[in-house]
Amino acid sequence: MDIYNIVRRPLVTEKGTHQAQESHGDTRSQPARGGSYAFEVHPEATKPMIREAVEKIYSVRVLEVRTANRKGKPRRVRYKTGKTVDWKKAVVVLHPDSHIDVF
Amino acid sequence: MADEELAAEGTEGSGTEAQGAEPELSEEDKLRARLKEAVSVTKEDIGPLRLKLTVTVPRDLMDERLTEQFRELKREAQIPGFRKGRAPLRLVEKRFGTDVGTELADQLVHASFSVATEKEELRTVGDALVWVSAPEKRLDEKGIERTVHVEKLLPMDEAVEHIDFPKEGPLTYACEVEIAPQFELPALDNIPLTRPQVEITDQDVDAEVDRLRRYRATYQPVDDGMVEADDLLYTSVKWTVEGQLLRQEESTDLPARDLRLFGVPLKGLGAAVCGKRVGDEVALEATVPDDHQNTEIRGKPARFEFKLQEIKRLHVPPLDADLLNAAGFENEGELRSFYRSRMESERGRLVKRALREQAMQYLIEHIPMEVPQAMSQRQADRIILRRMMEMYRNQVPEAEIRKAGDEMRVKAQTESERDVKAYFIMEKLAERLDVDVSEDELNGAIHAIAQQQNRRFDRVRDDLAKQKALVPLFLQLRDEKALDRLIEKATISEGTANT
């Protein structure tokens, strides 16, 4: 599993945007520094693996990694029931000197 | 914190709305007012009544508009992962940047052009043509079609598709406009006119019967024979300029007469193909005109090669029982009496037409005007289209209208000083009398053409739109209305017996 398989994509959401700005403030003149960023990661990736991958891909210092396994949602097409895939979410807290431009 | 952010964004949004709700000026007026201060224009004389304008919109105005557009868009944008209006500005910019840029460039080009002409006090005629680098399909030496970018002049609506919003620096574009000559209209009251007395003679009825036959004429294949003038030819075409192949068509139909092909007048085509047979090859040399759409080949020698595949000839049917039946008559006498009574009833229309012509003639004679010595192809095309529309409405058979159109296109461009004068005079007259034509009136005229040609209304309308003849038709109706108003105020004396 290489680092680009570990981190699948950043989660660009309203909640994520606010978390990224949370700890260090974001003003028009100064973009956010630090903060926490959410990613979809490989379901078998561990916290140390995610830390290493994020540090290498984005050249940042990671302070903390929190993970959560998300269950897929039930879906039904006419009489057939199914569900979307389970996935793993990782929230990475960055050092105040670091910043990721997710947009 | 998040709530504070949202609240801050909310107030910012409503603040902008409050500013935008100023009652006196609309968004467009505001933009025009800003552009009027900021736009810079340079003029260059490029021929009789033609100008080249270079318009520059400064960067700060562009940025201002861009920010404004993004702010507006941000309030409405729905992006996955965000509630409506909550996505960050930078994300909105990234997502919709290209679309907003294109739309803004379109808006700025249109608005700045109109402001530029206003600022320079120019009275332009027709659409402006804008210089753009646009893709064009060309054949390479192996005959494979490739897309190349060439600098060319396109009507503004088409050109804006090729104008990109620059990432840095001002937005600059060059365009060519035609301007109306300066002249004053004479007093429009009590113009002396003579009402002609129209009599319907046997010759007039003969002419109508003849016209019916020509209307029913069809092209029929000539199996073994030589090309005669005005035959319809199916032929392959190869067009080269200085040895470079520009266009090749396996089979196209063109009439055996001088005409304009791919924008190049082919004088001598009629003479060159007459007497040829199927399978014969014909080559013709010509010069690309100076106002050809493709600037790279202007003034260069062109060569056209044709190989005849099929010949068709216009067959005018005799006045026999079949023709009479098809037209809905039992015998010739019935047809003739129908035409005579119809012409009698249309006497008023003929008188009106004669009065309009007199009024037009009066204006032409009484308005001194400098008419340009040479005209651009667009100017000439406009006049030709109007002439053709006039013929359509005067019930001239289509084959003859096409022939007349080809003849006019190939002839010298200053063909008719009268037409040019009439064109400018009517523009001004219609403006002075504030004449307008409604959609219903336009549809009525199309319906009349459709009835004459025994075709469906929508087909005729589509055909006219394809030939870009709807505008000339509109202008013709407008001119007729303007002349009718002039006639209402004229002093009319009764004429002697005349047809």
Side-chain angles (χ1 to χ4, degrees):
Chain A
M1 207 175 354
D2 74 7
I3 53 171
Y4 296 98
N5 275 323
I6 294 172
V7 174
R8 286 186 169 163
R9 64 185 180 104
L11 297 173
V12 183
T13 61
E14 200 175 326
K15 180 178 179 181
T17 315
H18 287 303
Q19 282 179 339
Q21 296 163 354
E22 223 164 38
S23 52
H24 311 293
D26 170 50
T27 57
R28 281 194 181 280
S29 55
Q30 195 180 2
R33 310 293 296 175
S36 31
Y37 295 82
F39 297 91
E40 183 187 331
V41 294
H42 194 286
E44 284 169 24
T46 60
K47 286 181 181 179
M49 285 158 88
I50 296 166
R51 170 193 293 266
E52 191 194 344
V54 171
E55 285 186 342
K56 281 195 178 155
I57 294 171
Y58 296 102
S59 307
V60 289
R61 255 180 81 190
V62 174
L63 294 182
E64 187 191 336
V65 179
R66 299 189 293 269
T67 57
N69 280 307
R70 315 294 307 154
K71 288 281 175 204
K73 294 178 180 179
R75 288 282 181 266
R76 201 182 76 179
V77 181
R78 292 198 173 175
Y79 54 88
K80 280 189 179 176
T81 54
K83 70 181 198 60
T84 60
V85 288
D86 297 345
W87 57 286
K88 190 172 198 169
K89 177 178 175 177
V91 176
V92 175
V93 182
L94 298 190
H95 186 272
D97 290 344
S98 302
H99 169 67
I100 295 178
D101 194 357
V102 285
F103 302 140
Chain B
M1 178 81 191
D3 290 337
E4 281 169 31
E5 272 290 328
L6 296 180
E9 278 178 17
T11 37
E12 187 186 292
S14 56
T16 325
E17 266 168 27
Q19 276 172 19
E22 280 175 24
E24 67 274 16
L25 282 178
S26 71
E27 275 302 314
E28 208 185 321
D29 291 337
K30 272 190 211 164
L31 173 65
R32 283 179 68 86
R34 284 282 289 121
L35 277 169
K36 212 163 187 176
E37 291 164 18
V39 158
S40 64
V41 196
T42 53
K43 273 194 297 187
E44 191 188 329
D45 204 346
I46 52 163
L49 300 177
R50 285 168 70 199
L51 285 178
K52 183 177 179 180
L53 301 179
T54 308
V55 183
T56 307
V57 182
R59 186 73 214 184
D60 54 344
L61 179 71
M62 290 160 63
D63 287 339
E64 198 180 288
R65 290 294 301 173
L66 203 59
T67 318
E68 216 168 280
Q69 296 258 319
F70 278 127
R71 281 214 182 123
E72 240 167 68
L73 192 60
K74 184 175 175 283
R75 284 203 290 273
E76 296 299 319
Q78 283 191 320
I79 294 178
F82 296 87
R83 285 172 292 164
K84 186 182 166 190
R86 304 294 184 185
L89 193 58
R90 278 183 55 220
L91 186 63
V92 176
E93 280 174 10
K94 199 172 173 195
R95 280 253 171 152
F96 303 107
T98 334
D99 292 344
V100 171
T102 318
E103 199 183 309
L104 194 57
D106 179 335
Q107 198 185 2
L108 283 176
V109 168
H110 276 103
S112 63
F113 172 74
S114 131
V115 165
T117 49
E118 207 174 287
K119 203 170 173 180
E120 294 292 323
E121 293 175 354
L122 300 175
R123 243 180 65 86
T124 58
V125 182
D127 282 346
L129 291 177
V130 184
W131 282 102
V132 285
S133 166
E136 192 175 280
K137 284 190 176 146
R138 290 268 181 88
L139 293 171
D140 64 7
E141 58 280 359
K142 288 176 190 160
I144 301 168
E145 206 172 67
R146 293 192 190 285
T147 306
V148 287
H149 274 78
V150 286
E151 287 288 320
K152 57 181 176 182
L153 275 171
L154 290 178
M156 191 167 274
D157 287 339
E158 282 176 48
V160 286
E161 289 169 21
H162 305 288
I163 298 177
D164 294 327
F165 192 84
K167 287 201 175 96
E168 286 172 357
L171 173 73
T172 305
Y173 62 91
C175 59
E176 291 187 8
V177 290
E178 290 159 15
I179 46 173
Q182 298 291 323
F183 63 90
E184 286 302 320
L185 287 174
L188 299 176
D189 291 343
N190 302 321
I191 291 177
L193 300 176
T194 312
R195 191 191 310 277
Q197 300 299 315
V198 178
E199 271 177 25
I200 311 297
T201 63
D202 284 345
Q203 281 85 357
D204 296 328
V205 178
D206 284 348
E208 273 305 292
V209 173
D210 200 35
R211 186 181 288 165
L212 170 74
R213 287 178 54 221
R214 284 182 286 141
Y215 250 117
R216 304 270 165 172
T218 48
Y219 280 102
Q220 291 182 355
V222 178
D223 294 330
D224 185 33
M226 291 187 290
V227 177
E228 290 178 12
D230 298 325
D231 280 357
L232 190 65
L233 308 176
Y234 289 85
T235 163
S236 66
V237 189
K238 209 169 153 186
W239 178 30
T240 51
V241 172
E242 291 186 329
Q244 194 198 353
L245 185 63
L246 286 187
R247 203 153 157 182
Q248 187 168 16
E249 279 180 21
E250 286 307 311
S251 182
T252 187
D253 55 338
L254 47 103
R257 57 175 171 254
D258 295 357
L259 47 79
R260 199 171 252 266
L261 189 63
F262 311 141
V264 182
L266 291 182
K267 282 183 189 167
L269 176 68
V273 291
C274 280
K276 301 285 177 190
R277 290 172 186 277
V278 171
D280 284 354
E281 291 183 14
V282 177
L284 205 69
E285 305 283 342
T287 308
V288 181
D290 288 339
D291 54 0
H292 194 274
Q293 197 189 38
N294 186 344
T295 49
E296 287 170 23
I297 57 167
R298 286 178 181 180
K300 289 185 178 170
R303 185 181 164 83
F304 288 84
E305 289 168 28
F306 305 95
K307 188 173 182 188
L308 303 190
Q309 293 161 346
E310 197 184 347
I311 306 169
K312 282 187 174 180
R313 190 161 297 152
L314 196 65
H315 173 72
V316 181
L319 188 64
D320 54 13
D322 286 345
L323 182 69
L324 287 166
N325 267 340
F329 298 97
E330 283 185 1
N331 53 49
E332 197 182 327
E334 196 183 327
L335 172 79
R336 284 181 176 277
S337 65
F338 169 77
Y339 274 147
R340 183 174 282 278
S341 61
R342 194 177 74 177
M343 286 163 88
E344 295 279 356
S345 68
E346 282 184 347
R347 205 182 281 210
R349 194 173 63 87
L350 295 174
V351 171
K352 201 159 211 179
R353 210 162 86 193
L355 284 174
R356 281 184 197 140
E357 266 166 32
Q358 283 181 37
M360 189 71 246
Q361 190 59 34
Y362 175 88
L363 290 174
I364 288 172
E365 281 168 11
H366 289 79
I367 298 176
M369 192 201 304
E370 287 282 324
V371 176
Q373 285 306 301
M375 292 180 77
S376 70
Q377 191 51 46
R378 280 178 81 217
Q379 288 166 330
D381 272 347
R382 256 196 315 252
I383 287 168
I384 291 167
L385 265 176
R386 291 183 75 164
R387 278 281 204 82
M388 286 172 75
M389 281 321 302
E390 216 173 288
M391 291 165 92
Y392 263 124
R393 298 185 63 219
N394 288 336
Q395 305 175 12
V396 179
E398 188 149 2
E400 290 171 32
I401 297 176
R402 288 187 190 282
K403 185 180 173 185
D406 283 339
E407 275 171 8
M408 286 188 273
R409 282 195 182 97
V410 178
K411 274 183 191 163
Q413 288 165 2
T414 45
E415 159 67 12
S416 168
E417 199 180 298
R418 187 182 187 276
D419 281 342
V420 184
K421 263 185 140 181
Y423 176 74
F424 291 122
I425 291 172
M426 290 316 299
E427 282 277 313
K428 199 156 190 169
L429 183 69
E431 197 185 299
R432 164 86 75 89
L433 297 176
D434 198 18
V435 177
D436 201 13
V437 179
S438 68
E439 185 79 22
D440 285 348
E441 286 170 305
L442 190 65
N443 284 340
I446 298 171
H447 180 75
I449 296 173
Q451 233 174 9
Q452 282 158 24
Q453 296 183 351
N454 205 13
R455 294 169 63 201
R456 273 171 52 178
F457 167 83
D458 49 348
R459 296 249 165 92
V460 175
R461 194 183 165 105
D462 288 351
D463 270 2
L464 292 176
K466 217 185 283 170
Q467 293 170 34
K468 296 186 177 162
L470 284 178
V471 175
L473 179 61
F474 167 86
L475 293 177
Q476 208 188 0
L477 292 174
R478 183 202 65 181
D479 295 354
E480 282 177 6
K481 277 178 91 173
L483 287 172
D484 286 348
R485 291 230 190 131
L486 218 60
I487 293 168
E488 278 168 24
K489 291 189 250 172
T491 311
I492 303 175
S493 56
E494 294 301 320
T496 50
N498 202 347
T499 49

